[in-house]
Amino acid sequence: GGTSESLCSDFADTLDLISESVVVSSTSFVLDREAIPSSIVIKVDGVSLVKDTDFFYDSATRTVTFSNQAAPGVGSSVYVFYDPVTIKQ
């Protein structure tokens, strides 16, 4: 994948193409460690989300996936708080 354009063409158009491909909001995030599912709290722009409605957690992949209605927009602040299943040593 990627974008390639000639440097001899209108560079503003090239930058627009690049920025459109970079500015994509994500609907899934992989956590660093496996979480205790009941401990997960997610806030998007300061608003707490509801587990199993606004987001879903897959412990096998350590992935939090947002529902379409709750997916954070570009530039949103996303905070994920959770207790890990194990403590790193």
Side-chain angles (χ1 to χ4, degrees):
T3 301
S4 64
E5 294 289 329
S6 170
L7 289 175
C8 298
S9 66
D10 185 351
F11 200 59
D13 290 340
T14 300
L15 289 176
D16 284 341
L17 285 172
I18 293 169
S19 67
E20 287 172 10
S21 67
V22 170
V23 181
V24 176
S25 63
S26 182
T27 58
S28 295
F29 297 91
V30 177
L31 302 180
D32 290 335
R33 295 167 42 203
E34 184 179 353
I36 297 171
S38 61
S39 74
I40 300 172
V41 174
I42 298 180
K43 292 186 177 192
V44 175
D45 295 328
V47 177
S48 293
L49 301 185
V50 178
K51 186 174 180 290
D52 298 327
T53 299
D54 296 326
F55 71 92
F56 306 91
Y57 176 64
D58 181 348
S59 59
T61 61
R62 300 185 335 263
T63 302
V64 170
T65 302
F66 293 93
S67 67
N68 288 338
Q69 299 83 1
V74 173
S76 292
S77 295
V78 178
Y79 293 93
V80 179
F81 306 95
Y82 64 93
D83 294 326
V85 171
T86 60
I87 303 296
K88 286 185 177 180
Q89 301 212 9

